[in-house]
Amino acid sequence: MRLFTGTLATSVAALMLGAMPLHAADLMIGIKSEPSSLDPQFHVLATNMQVAFTMFEPLVMMDAFAVPQPALAESWENVTPTEWVFNLRKDVTFSDGSPFTAEDVLFSFDRVAKVPNSPSAYTLFTRQIESVEAIDDYTVKMTTFKPYPLLAADITSVVIMSHLAAAGDAPEGKTTTELNRGDGLIGTGPFTFVSWQKGADFVVERNPNYWGDAPEWDTVTMRPMTNAAARAAALLAGDIAVMEDPPTANLSDFENNPDLTIAKAPAGRVVYIALDQQDRESPGISGTDTNPLMDARVREALFISIDRYGIVDRVMGGLAEPAGDLVPAHFLGSSPDHATAPTVDVERAKALLTEAGYPDGFSIVLGSPNGRYVNDVRIAQTIASMWSRVGVTTEVEASAPPVFFQNRDEMKYSAYLGAWGNGSGENLTTLNALINTYDREQGKGTANGGRYSNPEVDALLAEAASTMDDAARGAILSQADSMVLNDFGIIPVHYEVPVWALRNGLTMEGRADQYTLPQYIVSAE
């Protein structure tokens, strides 16, 4: 049944909105998926990071437009090609009243590589750092192995923990299990931890010791609601004040409702399909004794059988942009040859499968989270029908996000629907995460679930990582990007356009990184 469409539903919704006001100092947010952990260095996942940013802060923080801004470091300077000096704020305390100093920075960066069993490790952001030293209590020097232009952008994802509160017997100090219980969750952020239980609300309250502008809210509750229609119903009923990703099919009703406000941000997150490219008997493939995804012709057939424009129009309701690349065309290092998404070509896809030795096709299981990305299951089901049409019989296996990520990390999928948000404005971060040959210890390919590997691409990414000149780095990245796409090593589908719906009287600036940060949700003037 379709919910909240038409004039009658909008009128009823307006009455409901007026009937159930929320307490002015309490903010209830409906989020589309729950965090997998409260350990701010365990799992590179957008939901985890936005939760962490309520309680913790990095040295440098991205603003809504993905531009690095001072946070716990009031300034920084690249003093030599490999040395960066960060000047720390001197007026900051942790939520327990203990002072913030360089020792906390050293502890936090040292801990990253020691966190065990990370599904997607934060070493992605620290692997270029050779050392972190304290010059004095309020000055830190970071030295990179090679010149590295994205250091300031990378460390926006590394929050600073209290070396006192997060100390423990394990090599990493407080363990992920302990932090998930709230033990050691002491940060400098605008809010402090109250409670969390898997599958239930995450609750914080205003930090009385916060050094910056005090947030408006006494308490904030983030309630995981994976079903978009359920989030919409809760917003219209007044049970929540803000929701992530309103249903795309009903967005016009929301936009025309005088009791609601819509916030948007530029497209940046790419939704893609990862393909198992390990020389093994792939777990979700049947009808053949080999892994057909090892053949570039098969990957191309799957690539060109997807009608991206149809998905954007019919599944996403126009709230997406068709993708031929892993980053939008305005990002540094994108591929001009792939700036326009390809059109579907069913006959060529069939011919490629025949040429590759699969005239009768084969069967494959496509993994998908259920409620992690906008319309994720519908997208997967649509792609499954498109692949089936060219002869690759496809079954969708949809799971709750925690189960999906566990299956993905255990390599149980031959193909899966994923997404990657890039807040740096250039392609290096995306390629390092999704394409670089997987090497957990070196922080390479940490989200490369298909295990694509190309030594030539790896070499180009290593070269780009130490190229300080933007134009030269962009050219190298563009070359690497084109090589991957020409090899059909991964399948970009579309870029999400982030959308939030808020009760009238509230306002927020949509962020390119798609984080929902309650400190930036305020009452409209």
Side-chain angles (χ1 to χ4, degrees):
M1 183 177 75
R2 266 176 37 127
L3 298 177
F4 313 118
T5 57
T7 305
L8 177 60
T10 302
S11 299
V12 172
L15 291 173
M16 294 171 70
L17 281 163
M20 300 186 66
L22 294 176
H23 191 282
D26 298 331
L27 181 67
M28 178 78 75
I29 304 172
I31 58 176
K32 60 187 177 184
S33 62
E34 66 173 322
S36 64
S37 174
L38 298 188
D39 183 339
Q41 298 180 341
F42 175 67
H43 185 185
V44 179
L45 187 68
T47 307
N48 292 13
M49 297 173 86
Q50 74 177 17
V51 162
F53 285 137
T54 65
M55 302 177 289
F56 300 93
E57 296 173 298
L59 296 180
V60 182
M61 182 71 181
M62 288 293 190
D63 67 12
F65 301 98
V67 178
Q69 301 290 344
L72 291 178
E74 59 186 3
S75 64
W76 61 92
E77 184 180 3
N78 186 198
V79 294
T80 75
T82 59
E83 293 178 323
W84 298 65
V85 172
F86 294 84
N87 302 303
L88 309 184
R89 295 187 186 275
K90 298 178 181 178
D91 56 348
V92 177
T93 63
F94 286 94
S95 59
D96 62 358
S98 61
F100 158 69
T101 69
E103 192 169 356
D104 303 298
V105 178
L106 269 58
F107 170 84
S108 299
F109 277 85
D110 179 66
R111 183 179 185 271
V112 169
K114 296 178 178 178
V115 177
N117 305 316
S118 172
S120 182
Y122 277 77
T123 49
L124 171 67
F125 306 113
T126 61
R127 66 187 183 86
Q128 300 286 348
I129 300 173
E130 181 178 15
S131 64
V132 182
E133 307 169 61
I135 296 175
D136 57 40
D137 282 351
Y138 296 100
T139 311
V140 170
K141 182 175 75 172
M142 294 188 190
T143 303
T144 57
F145 290 101
K146 297 178 180 179
Y148 183 60
L150 291 188
L151 180 67
D154 276 2
I155 66 172
T156 61
S157 297
V158 182
V159 299
I160 305 304
M161 307 171 71
S162 164
H163 79 279
L164 297 174
D169 296 331
E172 70 273 25
K174 286 289 191 296
T175 65
T176 298
T177 299
E178 290 174 305
L179 290 165
N180 284 341
R181 295 198 299 259
D183 187 9
L185 287 178
I186 302 298
T188 64
F191 298 97
T192 63
F193 176 75
V194 174
S195 63
W196 178 64
Q197 196 170 24
K198 274 188 174 292
D201 294 348
F202 168 75
V203 184
V204 291
E205 62 187 6
R206 185 190 289 117
N207 175 8
N209 294 319
Y210 185 52
W211 62 272
D213 294 335
E216 182 169 339
W217 314 106
D218 291 331
T219 64
V220 175
T221 301
M222 291 185 171
R223 176 164 295 171
M225 309 175 75
T226 59
N227 184 280
R231 292 196 301 276
L235 181 71
L236 293 168
D239 295 331
I240 61 175
V242 181
M243 71 169 290
E244 298 177 337
D245 296 338
T248 54
N250 307 99
L251 188 63
S252 60
D253 291 341
F254 278 60
E255 291 176 322
N256 293 326
N257 189 325
D259 293 302
L260 298 178
T261 299
I262 298 296
K264 295 182 181 180
R269 178 193 294 272
V270 63
V271 173
Y272 64 88
I273 301 290
L275 302 174
D276 180 9
Q277 291 163 73
Q278 300 175 91
D279 193 6
R280 63 168 183 164
E281 186 176 339
S282 197
I285 291 176
S286 57
T288 174
D289 295 331
T290 61
N291 179 0
L293 302 178
M294 298 293 292
D295 193 317
R297 294 169 295 186
V298 173
R299 300 196 298 269
E300 182 180 0
L302 297 176
F303 194 100
I304 63 175
S305 64
I306 297 174
D307 181 0
R308 292 159 175 81
Y309 296 88
I311 289 174
V312 166
D313 182 43
R314 295 189 294 274
V315 178
M316 297 299 294
L319 283 176
E321 298 174 6
D325 200 347
L326 292 172
V327 293
H330 65 274
F331 273 46
L332 184 74
S334 63
S335 171
D337 294 338
H338 298 86
T340 301
T343 55
V344 64
D345 193 337
V346 171
E347 294 309 313
R348 175 163 170 74
K350 292 179 178 179
L352 284 166
L353 290 171
T354 298
E355 183 183 327
Y358 303 96
D360 299 321
F362 55 89
S363 296
I364 192 170
V365 174
L366 175 62
S368 171
N370 185 354
R372 175 64 189 93
Y373 313 119
V374 180
N375 297 330
D376 42 19
V377 175
R378 289 182 60 201
I379 295 165
Q381 291 170 339
T382 303
I383 291 174
S385 67
M386 293 171 177
W387 283 359
S388 297
R389 182 173 56 177
V390 301
V392 179
T393 304
T394 306
E395 175 187 350
V396 173
E397 181 182 312
S399 307
V403 177
F404 166 80
F405 286 119
Q406 181 176 348
N407 290 340
R408 181 202 66 179
D409 298 334
E410 294 176 357
M411 309 301 294
K412 292 183 177 180
Y413 297 128
S414 295
Y416 67 81
L417 182 80
W420 184 261
N422 184 331
S424 70
E426 69 172 76
N427 207 357
L428 182 57
T429 303
T430 296
L431 293 174
N432 273 336
L434 300 182
I435 296 302
N436 216 327
T437 298
Y438 178 77
D439 187 329
R440 187 188 185 282
E441 290 186 359
Q442 294 190 41
K444 297 178 180 179
T446 55
N448 183 354
R451 295 301 191 262
Y452 175 84
S453 180
N454 186 327
E456 293 182 61
V457 171
D458 294 347
L460 287 171
L461 295 181
E463 181 183 356
S466 59
T467 301
M468 302 298 287
D469 180 79
D470 288 350
R473 186 171 70 258
I476 297 167
L477 290 172
S478 182
Q479 182 183 354
D481 191 36
S482 293
M483 289 177 66
V484 173
L485 296 169
N486 292 338
D487 197 24
F488 306 98
I490 193 169
I491 300 178
V493 180
H494 62 257
Y495 310 114
E496 287 185 356
V497 174
V499 182
W500 295 260
L502 304 86
R503 296 282 301 276
N504 195 22
L506 297 179
T507 184
M508 64 175 285
E509 188 172 33
R511 295 180 59 89
D513 53 25
Q514 299 193 3
Y515 298 154
T516 305
L517 301 182
Q519 56 265 46
Y520 301 124
I521 299 172
V522 298
S523 298
E525 294 181 358

